[in-house]
Amino acid sequence: MPVISLDDIRCRLVGAKSPGTIRYYSAMLNHLETYNGSEQLDLAKITPQFVSGFGDHLFTSGLSLSTINLFKMAFRAVMKEAFGPELKTQFKAAFKNVGSRNNATTNCITCRDIRKLTGHSLNGFPVLDKTRSLFIYCLISGGIDFTTLQSMCGTNSLHPEIPHQEFIISEFQTRHNRPFSAFVAKLTAENYRHNLMQLGHTCGLSQPLHPGSALDGWIAVAREIGLSPEEIASVVHDAAEIAAHSGVHADITHEKRLKTLEQTADSIIDIKTRWHVMRCHDITPAEITHAINQQALPVSSHITTFTIPTEFTKGSKLMESMLFFNSSASDAIRIRTFLGSKAHIYQFAGSDIPAHISDNEMKTLMILCDLPDTTLSCYFPDRSPLPPDIAIGSQARIIHGSLSGYVGVINAVSPGRYRVSLTFPSLGTARVLATRPRQFRRLWHTF
């Protein structure tokens, strides 16, 4: 087998990787050279025992387990190119115990499992529901371990850094009428581990759930959304290790760490409220709305609903069965799980994430349904009363009614109802009052 130069690998990284990633790989290569005893590495030496020994070397050097795993994956990544396609079998054999970015077989919790965990209905399982909130808090906090979190709660030093953490604490208080920190402080490590095993089984996860799954899951999500190794390390508290062993200062600020936490948290729990739509089958929109108002659904916050008035559905069974609702994606998933086959919540193609409708599109729909201004203000309290680009003097085309097709000039605007007064040069001094939201304009404003 060929002999490769670790210095050559360092040179190739310069043009192919970002500065932060180069520092991360350089730290790994420095350790590899020390372990190998030379910058010349014979590929014949790379066996499962060699890879395992490299992990032991990293451990005795004082690195944490999370950093060891990251460095071993980086070792695998650079060696894949060195082995090449002709030595593919030997490469797989050597790194059979090291996961890769695209490896589907793993003993760690997967991103799919995390989505299943956050969306599963736990009605009737209050202990498991509380345990899930605790686990997700650890997860979105960068995989913080239970004992550290418990210590924070016991000493009143638990201070949320990102909105998602505040959301979980507030949701816990609302759903269980008990402070989050009080629950964590009194829970034993053994009970937490036992509850997690039951939680994973109840949610049908592909792998057993345990306290260390929070860190494994966070790293899995971070890699899925494309975060760099440096960004990952900045959150799992190993930035100092990377800087110390690479010989280069890692430019990781507190703001950058918080941004990384928020990016991954957005992929785990979506706390933003958006409009979604469902089609009801064995239940009516009115029945679901009543259940929501009676707090009979497993949701974490208030949900607003809207149905198209019967005078606008024109007897369409499809439109009569539609229910629009404003909620977070997490609540939409919980509603979907709770209702089962009774209703279908539309989702993005090729994804299990509920599709959302923009506020502008919902405002347009409500205006077309002739909702009064007072009702629109309840749905959208911060809405702009007048679209800024409907201006006096601009052109608009009539698309409905006896003047359909005529193009007029706007000479007056009513901000409350999106109404405009139009004059038509071809018709003399004739004026027409027209109503049309700006979202349906094409080349001209259309009314």
Side-chain angles (χ1 to χ4, degrees), residues 80-301:
K80 184 175 182 180
E81 182 181 351
F83 273 84
E86 62 276 4
L87 298 176
K88 183 178 180 180
T89 303
Q90 291 87 336
F91 169 77
K92 284 189 172 182
F95 292 93
K96 63 181 181 180
N97 297 320
V98 180
S100 71
R101 184 186 182 98
N102 301 314
N103 194 356
T105 356
T106 174
N107 294 324
C108 299
I109 187 172
T110 64
C111 295
R112 182 181 180 86
D113 279 338
I114 291 173
R115 286 190 284 268
K116 187 183 293 186
L117 175 67
T118 56
H120 194 86
S121 174
L122 291 174
N123 264 13
F125 301 95
V127 174
L128 296 186
D129 197 16
K130 294 174 186 176
T131 303
R132 176 172 63 182
S133 297
L134 166 55
F135 177 80
I136 293 176
Y137 190 96
C138 293
L139 177 65
I140 65 172
S141 302
I144 185 174
D145 62 275
F146 172 69
T147 54
T148 302
L149 180 62
Q150 191 174 51
S151 175
M152 292 178 180
C153 293
T155 57
N156 294 321
S157 58
L158 180 64
H159 303 297
E161 296 181 295
I162 58 176
H164 306 74
Q165 294 169 332
E166 296 178 357
F167 173 81
I168 289 180
I169 293 175
S170 174
E171 178 192 34
F172 190 96
Q173 175 74 46
T174 303
R175 289 172 63 82
H176 306 294
N177 197 28
R178 183 182 182 185
F180 176 77
S181 56
F183 170 74
V184 176
K186 291 186 177 181
L187 185 66
T188 66
E190 184 60 33
N191 285 342
Y192 179 51
R193 181 179 294 274
H194 176 72
N195 292 349
L196 284 179
M197 290 182 64
Q198 284 191 314
L199 177 62
H201 177 74
T202 303
C203 295
L205 306 187
S206 63
Q207 301 294 334
L209 202 60
H210 55 85
S213 299
L215 177 58
D216 294 335
W218 190 88
I219 292 176
V221 172
R223 292 167 66 192
E224 184 184 60
I225 65 176
L227 294 183
S228 69
E230 182 191 30
E231 290 171 314
I232 294 174
S234 72
V235 170
V236 296
H237 309 296
D238 292 323
E241 294 178 6
I242 291 178
H245 295 289
S246 65
V248 183
H249 174 66
D251 184 22
I252 299 171
T253 63
H254 180 65
E255 291 74 17
K256 186 174 182 180
R257 178 178 173 274
L258 292 184
K259 181 181 179 182
T260 301
L261 278 175
E262 287 198 50
Q263 280 182 276
T264 49
D266 280 337
S267 299
I268 296 169
I269 53 168
D270 189 350
I271 63 176
K272 297 175 183 176
T273 58
R274 299 182 178 89
W275 283 96
H276 305 85
V277 60
M278 70 172 76
R279 182 181 181 185
C280 304
H281 298 304
D282 300 330
I283 191 171
T284 65
E287 290 173 327
I288 296 179
T289 300
H290 178 73
I292 290 174
N293 294 336
Q294 295 298 314
Q295 299 182 347
L297 295 184
V299 296
S300 59
S301 57

Side-chain angles (χ1 to χ4, degrees), residues 403-425:
L403 294 178
S404 177
Y406 281 84
V407 176
V409 178
I410 298 175
N411 59 58
V413 179
S414 172
R417 293 290 297 136
Y418 292 93
R419 284 178 178 162
V420 297
S421 174
L422 301 173
T423 58
F424 299 90

Side-chain angles (χ1 to χ4, degrees), residues 55-68:
D56 295 339
H57 166 77
L58 295 173
F59 182 78
T60 56
S61 299
L63 273 68
S64 69
L65 293 178
S66 57
T67 301
I68 292 172

